[in-house]
């Protein structure tokens, strides 16, 4: 086996992929993630790369090659030739590192930063890069997320989900009373009914009666905004089509305004 750092262009990548016979089905989301890394200049040459057997068959690296083609840009990458085909069974059987592993953020804060990145980038199909998550962390999201996690680290289905946590952070960034927002989150997660405002009771009833879509992340963020608003003195939680439509623009606006006002 011989290995060398090589500039692999989209054309070379396509050539290597012509003998891609035994690899598993590729994952579009992972290809898009790697392509985004290449496009943003975050690609780094590591020990991982492309592996070809003595007959030129591709043993490892199909996602990297597809990402090179998708990006339209060449990259420097390790290419190993004459690799023993029997090593195929040993490749990529370990646990992949997640965003928390890469950034060293807490798992919950990494989730919030990744979720915020998807709001900013306009879609939920791609995986945010570590650099983007770190930028978001440094621009205020990370500090407030860490504080919220320290204040209430309990997990409960739906109420401590990423959309609720991001909504709490955004509300504080938007100038709402942090003590009120954090206490409401804490009481909601712990189901301290006597300490919750009427609108939170309405939310809990809707969830219990299965009257809302708990899987729609934008929908959940919009409802959480209303629950965490200390000025909303109503007993029924309603989310209009216009409210839902404004969730993404509002999150983006609060984030950008916060950056300007704090110099983050």
């Amino acid at each position: 086996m011989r290995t060398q750092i090589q500039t692999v262009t989209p054309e070379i990548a396509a050539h290597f992929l012509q003998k891609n016979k035994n690899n598993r089905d590729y994952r579009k989301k992972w290809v898009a993630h790697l392509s985004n890394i290449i496009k943003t200049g975050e690609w780094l040459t590591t020990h991982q790369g492309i592996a070809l057997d003595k007959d030129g068959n591709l043993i490892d690296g199909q996602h990297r090659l597809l990402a090179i083609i998708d990006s339209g840009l060449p990259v420097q990458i390790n290419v190993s030739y004459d690799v023993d085909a029997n090593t195929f069974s040993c490749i990529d059987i370990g646990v992949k590192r997640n965003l928390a592993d890469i950034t060293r953020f807490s798992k919950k804060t990494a989730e919030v930063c990744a979720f915020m990145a998807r709001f900013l980038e306009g879609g939920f199909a791609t995986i945010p890069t570590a650099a983007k998550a770190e930028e978001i962390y440094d621009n205020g999201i990370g500090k407030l997320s860490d504080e919220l996690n320290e204040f209430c680290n309990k997990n409960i289905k739906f109420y401590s989900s990423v959309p609720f946590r991001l909504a709490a952070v955004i509300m504080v960034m938007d100038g709402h009373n942090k003590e009120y927002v954090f206490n409401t989150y804490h009481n909601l997660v712990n189901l301290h009914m006597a300490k919750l405002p009427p609108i939170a009771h309405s939310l809990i009833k809707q969830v219990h009666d299965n009257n809302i879509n708990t899987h729609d992340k934008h929908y959940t963020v919009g409802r959480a905004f209303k629950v965490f608003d200390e000025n909303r003195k109503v007993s029924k939680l309603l989310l209009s089509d216009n409210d839902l439509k404004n969730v993404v623009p509002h999150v983006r606006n609060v984030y950008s305004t916060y950056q300007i006002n704090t110099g983050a």
Side-chain angles (χ1 to χ4, degrees):
M1 182 179 71
R2 56 189 175 88
T3 301
Q4 64 187 45
I5 295 178
Q6 183 175 331
T7 300
V8 175
T9 64
E11 293 74 23
I12 294 173
H15 174 72
F16 286 155
L17 283 165
Q18 287 178 0
K19 288 194 172 184
N20 183 28
K21 299 178 180 179
N22 298 315
N23 277 292
R24 59 193 168 183
D25 293 340
Y26 74 91
R27 291 167 290 163
K28 292 181 180 180
K29 185 182 290 189
W30 189 243
V31 171
H33 174 60
L34 294 176
S35 176
N36 189 41
I37 287 176
I38 295 170
K39 290 174 183 176
T40 56
E42 298 173 49
W43 178 270
L44 296 174
T45 303
T46 71
H47 66 285
Q48 294 180 306
I50 311 303
L52 309 167
D53 69 13
K54 61 183 179 60
D55 296 318
N57 295 311
L58 182 67
I59 295 177
D60 187 29
Q62 67 167 341
H63 287 89
R64 300 178 190 97
L65 293 172
L66 289 167
I68 291 169
I69 294 171
D70 184 75
S71 71
L73 298 170
V75 301
Q76 291 275 303
I77 191 170
N78 269 303
V79 181
S80 297
Y81 296 91
D82 301 326
V83 176
D84 185 343
N86 292 325
T87 62
F88 180 78
S89 61
C90 301
I91 294 172
D92 284 346
I93 62 173
V95 178
K96 290 187 177 295
R97 293 190 302 163
N98 57 33
L99 192 61
D101 296 327
I102 296 169
T103 59
R104 304 297 178 89
F105 301 160
S106 70
K107 181 177 182 293
K108 284 189 171 182
T109 290
E111 289 172 345
V112 168
C113 290
F115 191 43
M116 184 67 208
R118 291 182 171 109
F119 269 95
L120 296 176
E121 294 171 359
F124 288 82
T126 59
I127 303 170
T129 66
K132 187 63 179 179
E134 288 169 349
E135 174 190 316
I136 289 168
Y137 182 97
D138 291 338
N139 286 338
I141 296 285
K143 181 176 182 294
L144 286 170
S145 176
D146 286 341
E147 289 180 11
L148 181 64
N149 296 335
E150 185 176 349
F151 186 78
C152 178
N153 200 35
K154 181 176 179 178
N155 294 317
I156 185 172
K157 187 176 180 181
F158 187 59
Y159 301 119
S160 67
S161 64
V162 181
F164 266 92
R165 285 183 273 128
L166 178 65
V169 169
I170 291 296
M171 290 292 283
V172 175
M173 294 174 78
D174 195 30
H176 290 263
N177 185 290
K178 183 168 73 171
E179 182 179 0
Y180 180 88
V181 173
F182 278 25
N183 279 327
T184 302
Y185 174 80
H186 177 275
N187 293 329
L188 188 61
V189 169
N190 287 280
L191 294 178
H192 290 162
M193 305 298 288
K195 298 180 180 180
L196 285 168
I199 194 170
H201 285 245
S202 176
L203 170 68
I204 293 170
K205 185 177 188 306
Q206 290 170 3
V207 172
H208 181 267
D209 294 343
N210 201 28
N211 288 333
I212 62 174
N213 183 356
T214 57
H215 299 291
D216 187 320
K217 294 180 173 60
H218 288 176
Y219 195 74
T220 301
V221 171
R223 287 182 173 273
F225 280 157
K226 291 178 180 288
V227 170
F228 294 140
D229 186 351
E230 71 273 27
N231 298 314
R232 194 172 293 277
K233 308 297 184 183
V234 295
S235 58
K236 191 167 185 179
L237 175 55
L238 299 173
L239 191 71
S240 68
D241 290 341
N242 192 53
D243 289 333
L244 185 60
K245 181 180 178 181
N246 286 330
V247 168
V248 173
H250 180 66
V251 171
R252 291 176 177 172
N253 181 63
V254 171
Y255 178 76
S256 61
T257 302
Y258 186 84
Q259 287 178 273
I260 294 170
N261 292 340
T262 63

